[in-house]
Amino acid sequence: MLSDQELLRYSRQILLPQIDIDGQLRLKQGRVLIVGLGGLGSPVSLYLAAAGVGELHLADFDSVDLTNLQRQIVHDSNSVGLSKVDSAMARLAALNPEVRLVPHSRALDVDSLAAAVAAVDVVLDCTDNFGTREAVNAACVAAGKPLVSGAAIRLEGQLSVFDPRRDDSPCYHCLYGHGSEAELTCSEAGVVGPLVGLVGSLQALEALKLIAGFGEPMVGRLLLVDALGSRFRELRVKRDPACEVCGERHA
């Protein structure tokens, strides 16, 4: 049940008929893994904690650097030099002490990643590394867990949801294959702060929809964000029956 304190804290979203008490209870019972606590993971973690998602698993093996603060808003100047997990946990605990926080401060290998994914209901990929995205996707497909994937670099962003529970859903590999060897990171190509804030906020919204069971998640759709022209474009994405990651699962 929801306490009087929780009813008051979450009253503005409980007022929404799409969420109501039942949806808020589902959020309270929800468990989410956030992989990456940088530009995308910052707004994701803040909004999910504020919304009352009951358990947040926070995964990042990096430390806070001064160059992060231009966009990674869960951290502050006093966090420089601290692990991103410790920094984020302090901020989120102050924001909402009702939320249980589970730290993953070390790099996740195949086994620990599989265990982390199995322990939650929804996974959010907030990384900027293609190899990690591939590993997270494979773990989600194997465990049958929905994956909310976001990316942002320079002045362009992308967002999609991959849900292996649905036969018609593609996975990350269906869309991107093995990626590019020449992949750039934000530290090499740059990125504007509000863009990662926008994409991360949309990731948080998709996670809330999946957990509380309202709206239409972005399964089979890819949202492209052009920050330079303030334009949004949506593409349809189909599952690849021959995909080496999810094809056999749907055979």
Side-chain angles (χ1 to χ4, degrees):
M1 298 297 293
L2 297 172
S3 66
D4 290 344
Q5 183 83 1
E6 289 171 320
L7 288 170
L8 183 60
R9 178 184 286 268
Y10 309 123
S11 59
R12 297 304 184 266
Q13 63 192 30
I14 290 174
L15 284 170
L16 298 171
Q18 295 87 349
I19 297 180
D20 207 347
I21 296 290
D22 289 341
Q24 190 62 51
L25 278 170
R26 285 192 287 270
L27 292 178
K28 181 177 180 177
Q29 295 160 358
R31 301 164 300 164
V32 170
L33 170 63
I34 304 171
V35 185
L37 294 169
L40 297 172
S42 288
V44 162
S45 62
L46 288 166
Y47 275 119
L48 294 186
V53 174
E55 191 170 291
L56 297 181
H57 295 235
L58 308 174
D60 200 310
F61 61 87
D62 204 359
S63 298
V64 180
D65 185 83
L66 185 61
T67 61
N68 299 151
L69 302 185
Q70 161 257 358
R71 64 200 177 281
Q72 300 183 13
I73 57 173
V74 76
H75 313 296
D76 59 33
S77 296
N78 293 326
S79 302
V80 173
L82 298 178
S83 84
K84 288 186 178 179
V85 168
D86 289 344
S87 170
M89 287 185 67
R91 175 71 181 95
L92 299 176
L95 175 64
N96 189 352
E98 303 284 349
V99 176
R100 179 170 181 256
L101 303 172
V102 180
H104 297 275
S105 301
R106 297 181 179 178
L108 297 173
D109 58 21
V110 173
D111 292 336
S112 58
L113 177 59
V117 169
V120 300
D121 305 305
V122 177
V123 178
L124 291 104
D125 178 3
C126 302
T127 67
D128 64 355
N129 175 277
F130 188 82
T132 303
R133 291 177 188 151
E134 277 273 80
V136 171
N137 174 69
C140 287
V141 170
K145 300 296 175 74
L147 171 63
V148 183
S149 177
I153 195 166
R154 297 191 179 101
L155 291 159
E156 299 174 350
Q158 298 183 3
L159 173 76
S160 191
V161 175
F162 308 105
D163 192 345
R165 300 172 300 178
R166 291 177 45 169
D167 289 339
D168 63 336
S169 174
C171 77
Y172 183 88
H173 191 82
C174 291
L175 180 58
Y176 294 103
H178 288 289
S180 169
E181 295 295 329
E183 180 190 8
L184 294 175
T185 64
C186 294
S187 62
E188 298 168 315
V191 67
V192 65
L195 173 62
V196 290
L198 172 62
V199 175
S201 296
L202 290 172
Q203 283 184 270
L205 177 59
E206 292 299 311
L208 294 179
K209 287 157 62 177
L210 288 164
I211 298 168
F214 69 94
E216 181 185 354
M218 288 201 65
V219 177
R221 296 181 289 153
L222 175 67
L223 182 68
L224 303 176
V225 182
D226 170 14
L228 195 60
S230 296
R231 294 184 177 90
F232 296 81
R233 188 159 61 105
E234 183 181 296
L235 303 177
R236 291 285 176 177
V237 182
K238 293 184 178 180
R239 184 178 68 82
D240 178 5
C243 175
E244 62 188 62
V245 176
C246 74
E248 188 174 319
R249 180 181 179 87
H250 293 278

